[in-house]
Amino acid sequence: MAFFSNSLALANLLMISLSVVLACFTIPTAGNFYRDADITWGDGRGKIVEGGRMLTLSLDQYSGSGFQSKNEYSFGRFDTQLKLVPGNSAGTVTTFFLSSQGAGHDEIDFEFLGNASGQPYTVHTNVYSQGKGNKEQQFHLWFDPTAAFHTYSIVWNPRRIIFLVDNSPIRVFNNHEAIGIPFPKSQPMRVYCTLWNADDWATQGGRVKTDWTKAPFTVYYRNFNANGCVSGTSGRSCANSGAWQTQQLDAKGRNRLRWVQQHHMVYNYCADVQSLMRSMWKLHSHTWHWVEKKKSHRRVPWPRLLH
């Protein structure tokens, strides 16, 4: 009897130990769209499939479609795997972004601008704070984003925003509020994903239009995860907080960022002098510095330049 009891105790101990070991190596479960998202428009063109593991959005000549996260977040890390429209995707725009609501909204954008067959997608990134954007950077990817799923991530913490593709950083937007540049930090945001027609501007400046004979166009989302501080009526809950709270680039990440921006960036608002001047004018036109012209003695407004 004693031998049997000792054997049973040993077996229980081994089972507990094995469970602990397995728990340490268990991959976190992927998000479930039934649990985490709501399809908000498209009249049936958005569909949750494979038991909640995948969500498809489609676009035809009558409508696109979209979904949003059930929760709002104040900072976090947001990931989704995405397979884009193949072939002639000109005129289509697929999105994965964070946004608050209202005229003075905050927003952090991934937009994928389709192109004619054989031409690369343009990955368009932007950051809005207090309703002001005009901070675009655009890239061509180093792979075919229509052939397989790839992971796109946004890390948003009080110090910086990091855009990642397959965990490689492509852009970092740092908090420079100290020198007068707004940074999104005070408004909770939801995750939004959409597929829609924008052939008036999306492909080669609107010169290439959507070919509706190829419709319906379909994109695929899976492994959607939002790991952040959930905002609600009772305040903010950060039960699932993690490394994203202080995440920054290490030496390897900085080298990878430099490689992407040197070889795959196709537009940078910081290098676009005319766009930068327009942005500064809009941002600071309410602040007037009066200068007097020697000949006419007319007063003319002059925007204060901060960046």
Side-chain angles (χ1 to χ4, degrees):
M1 180 66 71
F3 174 78
F4 177 77
S5 298
N6 290 338
S7 298
L8 185 60
L10 180 60
N12 288 335
L13 180 61
L14 287 173
M15 288 297 294
I16 293 172
S17 300
L18 181 61
S19 298
V20 170
V21 170
L22 289 175
C24 292
F25 289 95
T26 299
I27 298 173
T29 57
N32 185 289
F33 284 107
Y34 284 121
R35 182 191 65 216
D36 300 329
D38 292 316
I39 297 173
T40 50
W41 64 285
D43 194 23
R45 292 172 178 82
K47 294 181 174 64
I48 298 175
V49 296
E50 295 187 1
R53 294 187 299 274
M54 183 182 295
L55 192 152
T56 66
L57 297 178
S58 65
L59 163 71
D60 56 35
Q61 57 267 49
Y62 302 107
S63 178
S65 49
F67 69 91
Q68 68 182 41
S69 62
K70 290 183 182 290
N71 294 320
E72 290 185 314
Y73 300 89
S74 296
F75 306 117
R77 176 172 177 140
F78 309 90
D79 308 271
T80 191
Q81 289 190 320
L82 180 59
K83 185 161 70 169
L84 296 172
V85 175
N88 186 357
S89 58
T92 69
V93 176
T94 303
T95 69
F96 166 51
F97 66 102
L98 303 172
S99 183
S100 61
Q101 298 296 312
H105 76 292
D106 293 344
E107 189 172 322
I108 304 169
D109 289 340
F110 259 122
E111 295 183 335
F112 305 88
L113 313 184
N115 214 332
S117 296
Q119 300 297 313
Y121 265 83
T122 297
V123 179
H124 178 98
T125 66
N126 203 356
V127 176
Y128 286 76
S129 183
Q130 301 167 28
K132 298 178 177 67
N134 299 312
K135 301 177 182 68
E136 297 93 345
Q137 288 184 356
Q138 296 181 342
F139 306 84
H140 286 164
L141 295 168
W142 50 96
F143 54 83
D144 180 359
T146 72
F149 282 94
H150 292 270
T151 303
Y152 304 90
S153 308
I154 296 170
V155 173
W156 171 40
N157 63 43
R159 297 179 179 87
R160 63 191 58 86
I161 297 163
I162 307 173
F163 296 81
L164 303 109
V165 176
D166 289 337
N167 219 34
S168 288
I170 66 168
R171 179 180 185 179
V172 177
F173 184 83
N174 289 305
N175 186 339
H176 289 306
E177 287 182 304
I179 59 173
I181 300 174
F183 184 86
K185 69 175 188 179
S186 59
Q187 301 184 58
M189 295 194 273
R190 291 186 193 275
V191 182
Y192 295 87
C193 297
T194 61
L195 173 62
W196 53 290
N197 177 53
D199 65 3
D200 56 332
W201 65 270
T203 303
Q204 301 178 32
R207 292 188 299 274
V208 182
K209 303 300 183 181
T210 304
D211 181 358
W212 293 114
T213 66
K214 307 296 184 183
F217 304 98
T218 304
V219 296
Y220 302 85
Y221 295 82
R222 72 180 187 188
N223 290 342
F224 171 75
N225 280 294
N227 180 8
C229 297
V230 177
S231 296
T233 55
S234 59
R236 191 173 73 177
S237 171
C238 296
N240 294 324
S241 60
W244 60 263
Q245 290 184 310
T246 57
Q247 186 168 338
Q248 58 184 326
L249 301 188
D250 57 14
K252 181 179 178 181
R254 290 191 296 272
N255 287 336
R256 184 64 173 175
L257 176 68
R258 190 176 302 113
W259 177 83
V260 170
Q261 296 198 341
Q262 287 176 350
H263 296 281
H264 296 280
M265 179 184 284
V266 295
Y267 177 81
N268 182 3
Y269 77 105
C270 292
D272 186 338
V273 176
Q274 290 184 348
S275 176
L276 192 60
M277 290 297 292
R278 286 195 300 269
S279 299
M280 290 188 294
W281 178 271
K282 291 177 182 178
L283 183 61
H284 305 299
S285 59
H286 63 282
T287 304
W288 303 104
H289 291 269
W290 297 105
V291 297
E292 187 176 55
K293 286 188 176 180
K294 290 183 179 179
K295 292 183 179 179
S296 66
H297 299 285
R298 285 193 304 112
R299 286 181 171 182
V300 295
W302 192 260
R304 179 168 57 190
L305 305 182
L306 294 182
H307 61 281

